Amino acid sequence: DGTTLDELIDVDMNEVSMRVMSDEELYAHEMERIFAKTWLLLAHETEIPNPGDFVMRDMAEDNVIVSRDRAGEIHVMLNVCPHRGMKVCLAEAGNAASHRCIYHGWAFKSDGSFLGAPVERERMHGDKRGKEELGLKKARVHVYGGLIFATWNYEGPTFEEFLGDTKFYFDQLFCRTDGGLEMLGPPQRFVLPCNWKIPGEQSGSDGFHTLTLHRSLMEGGIMGGTAESIYDNAPGMYGVDISCKQGHSLRCLEAALTFKMFSNMSFEGKTVDERLHMLPPPGITPELIPQLYKHLSPTQIEQLATCPPQVGGMFPNILFAFIFAPRTDGGASGALALHTYVPKGPNHVEFVNFIFAEKDAPEQVKRDMLQNSIQQTGTSGTIEQDDADTWPQIMRNARGVMGKGMTLKYQALTGHQKPEGWYGDGLIYPGFTKDDTQWNWWLAYRDLMSDA
Ligand code: FES
């Protein structure tokens, strides 16, 4: 309607018009300029370990089949029959040597190539196109630490370019052990009545909301602080926030403060290895610590022992939470979860929750981690229920004539300051968590949306 992106995202005031959350025209542009162009997380390779295994997922509103072919290679195919547009695969998950459309029977191999149509002698696929042109539309695939990403953009950045400076940090979470991560069951899913950007911008490492919205975590002792001084002493608020021009971000918490909270003991005078054994990163058990040294550099190890990444996200719609949590045998196994916020029209989002443990962790630890994740970051968990109550209220406001004229404010900014001796690159924000990383999320959004 003539409104420019610069009017919606005010870079001088660091404000975003609430209209961006409800505008249907903008949503249509986002599907083309963001979701058809960036790398999207769909699945984990441990969901489809055998030839022929598949799961059905969504790349925004496009339904896709994530499949492992007979040779073991992973493919992502648009679940649209090239004949008359029917869904070829109707099952959420399974194993199949081929996929046969129920409408007229065209069939496709597990790599998406066209197998044939019924009544071969009648040439029901015609003569105008060769069989090699009649396969399912394929996306570009990259597997990173077992996570299956795909994009429709064959000419766009490689996955490494997409991660940019944050690869150094994400490797500490996803590429650190021999066996890698294992998904603990199928993802949990539910649909919320709000635009995808409401949870999306929070995945830009919004730490501040934790103090108030998730106050019960502090009161229950899960996030630290004391009953008298929750706002002053919560160790979860202090550390180093990291982001990059691609819009990804990580909140790294001071391990010494977290350790003190759990044990009331000090890291003082301890070596990196001693600290790793005193407080292993979430998901890492003592027997897995030697593997960290095989897969990570000395600086990455030092960061894990000092200021490990805890929560954050990858632009546009992924949140990760690798949380310390007490274990039943007295240790701290933690919870490893990833969420994706999949757009379902301008007014709805599907929340997809992936739960992980290290594949080589003891079985009891995996059970504890599954329980921790469900209780905390699961769809009915103590943390996500708070958010799921909040986001639809923001959405409701963004639809009002007056409400959509309001702005979201990102003015608590530290500015990039790389501490002396810091481990990696990127945009670095030390101290009490601020708005910088979420503002960078919006700058990445603006960059992609201005890219015609
Ligand atoms: Fe699939 Fe006709 S629509 S075979």
Side-chain angles (χ1 to χ4, degrees):
D1 66 355
T3 310
T4 66
L5 206 51
D6 284 342
E7 288 168 324
L8 294 173
I9 302 175
D10 184 336
V11 292
D12 294 323
M13 293 301 291
N14 305 102
E15 292 185 9
V16 178
S17 165
M18 282 184 75
R19 263 187 69 182
V20 300
M21 299 304 187
S22 54
D23 190 283
E24 301 201 358
E25 197 183 337
L26 200 63
Y27 176 83
H29 287 304
E30 289 165 357
M31 293 304 100
E32 288 171 12
R33 296 184 182 183
I34 297 178
F35 284 88
K37 291 213 170 151
T38 57
W39 289 97
L40 301 173
L41 173 63
L42 300 179
H44 190 264
E45 62 179 358
T46 53
E47 292 182 89
I48 50 169
N50 303 308
D53 284 352
F54 68 88
V55 290
M56 187 196 284
R57 295 289 145 82
D58 290 322
M59 294 174 71
E61 298 201 50
D62 283 311
N63 190 237
V64 296
I65 308 166
V66 182
S67 160
R68 193 182 286 275
D69 71 14
R70 292 172 65 167
E73 199 179 329
I74 292 171
H75 303 269
V76 173
M77 297 101 69
L78 187 65
N79 194 10
V80 174
C81 182
H83 183 220
R84 303 279 168 78
M86 175 60 187
K87 261 186 169 183
V88 172
C89 176
L90 296 172
E92 286 292 329
N95 181 282
S98 61
H99 297 279
R100 188 166 184 264
C101 179
I102 62 162
Y103 200 176
H104 309 87
W106 281 27
F108 306 86
K109 293 182 189 169
S110 52
D111 65 0
S113 56
F114 181 64
L115 196 57
V119 200
E120 182 71 27
R121 69 171 185 281
E122 298 294 341
R123 305 273 306 162
M124 290 305 291
H125 57 280
D127 295 318
K128 298 222 163 169
R129 291 183 187 273
K131 283 189 169 184
E132 69 287 352
E133 288 185 81
L134 297 177
L136 300 177
K137 185 176 175 64
K138 305 269 291 275
R140 182 181 171 196
V141 176
H142 185 88
V143 180
Y144 170 68
L147 300 167
I148 302 170
F149 287 82
T151 178
W152 301 112
N153 188 358
Y154 278 85
E155 276 78 48
T158 63
F159 188 78
E160 276 72 22
E161 289 165 344
F162 166 74
L163 281 190
D165 287 335
T166 52
K167 183 176 184 308
F168 174 87
Y169 310 100
F170 282 117
D171 283 354
Q172 296 171 34
L173 305 176
F174 301 116
C175 306
R176 57 189 186 175
T177 54
D178 297 351
L181 296 178
E182 174 186 345
M183 251 184 89
L184 304 178
Q188 299 181 308
R189 297 156 71 163
F190 72 125
V191 173
L192 283 167
C194 69
N195 184 274
W196 71 273
K197 295 188 294 301
I198 296 177
E201 68 86 40
Q202 192 203 77
S203 75
S205 293
D206 180 346
F208 190 42
H209 80 286
T210 313
L211 271 181
T212 306
L213 185 63
H214 304 305
R215 184 186 170 97
S216 60
L217 295 179
M218 262 71 74
E219 289 171 338
I222 299 171
M223 286 282 292
T226 64
E228 305 79 49
S229 56
I230 284 170
Y231 287 86
D232 294 327
N233 289 344
M237 295 301 105
Y238 293 92
V240 177
D241 291 349
I242 296 164
S243 68
C244 62
K245 67 180 172 51
Q246 291 86 345
H248 317 314
S249 61
L250 304 98
R251 295 196 63 233
C252 305
L253 301 192
E254 289 180 27
L257 282 176
T258 306
F259 184 65
K260 198 157 188 287
M261 177 184 84
F262 279 133
S263 67
N264 217 18
M265 284 165 62
S266 168
F267 266 3
E268 200 136 320
K270 303 294 181 191
T271 65
V272 164
D273 194 61
E274 285 168 338
R275 278 184 268 150
L276 275 180
H277 281 84
M278 289 162 79
L279 185 68
I284 295 294
T285 52
E287 54 273 79
L288 292 174
I289 290 175
Q291 294 186 18
L292 300 177
Y293 290 91
K294 277 167 64 183
H295 295 276
L296 301 174
S297 69
T299 46
Q300 286 172 313
I301 298 271
E302 190 172 339
Q303 182 180 349
L304 272 183
T306 312
C307 201
Q310 288 269 284
V311 290
M314 284 184 205
F315 186 89
N317 68 335
I318 303 170
L319 176 137
F320 77 86
F322 278 34
I323 300 174
F324 288 105
R327 206 166 69 208
T328 50
D329 65 2
S333 56
L336 311 184
L338 281 175
H339 307 329
T340 55
Y341 304 122
V342 184
K344 296 289 160 201
N347 302 320
H348 289 88
V349 68
E350 184 171 44
F351 181 122
V352 185
N353 180 36
F354 301 85
I355 299 174
F356 296 97
E358 291 288 343
K359 196 188 280 178
D360 297 334
E363 288 305 313
Q364 181 59 48
V365 170
K366 289 184 191 177
R367 282 194 287 276
D368 287 347
M369 293 183 66
L370 178 61
Q371 188 177 312
N372 290 340
S373 284
I374 290 171
Q375 286 177 349
Q376 294 184 14
T377 56
T379 48
S380 58
T382 48
I383 300 176
E384 303 308 351
Q385 283 192 82
D386 297 337
D387 294 302
D389 275 349
T390 307
W391 297 333
Q393 305 293 342
I394 298 171
M395 185 68 206
R396 193 177 180 284
N397 286 341
R399 295 173 67 81
V401 173
M402 292 297 126
K404 69 173 71 162
M406 298 294 286
T407 57
L408 314 173
K409 296 169 184 64
Y410 298 83
Q411 287 138 359
L413 300 171
T414 302
H416 166 65
Q417 311 166 27
K418 189 170 175 173
E420 184 99 7
W422 181 250
Y423 317 96
D425 292 326
L427 301 166
I428 318 287
Y429 308 96
F432 191 91
T433 185
K434 294 276 174 47
D435 287 342
D436 299 271
T437 53
Q438 295 129 80
W439 179 244
N440 291 342
W441 189 95
W442 282 109
L443 293 180
Y445 172 90
R446 183 171 168 271
D447 275 357
L448 283 178
M449 290 293 282
S450 345
D451 221 6

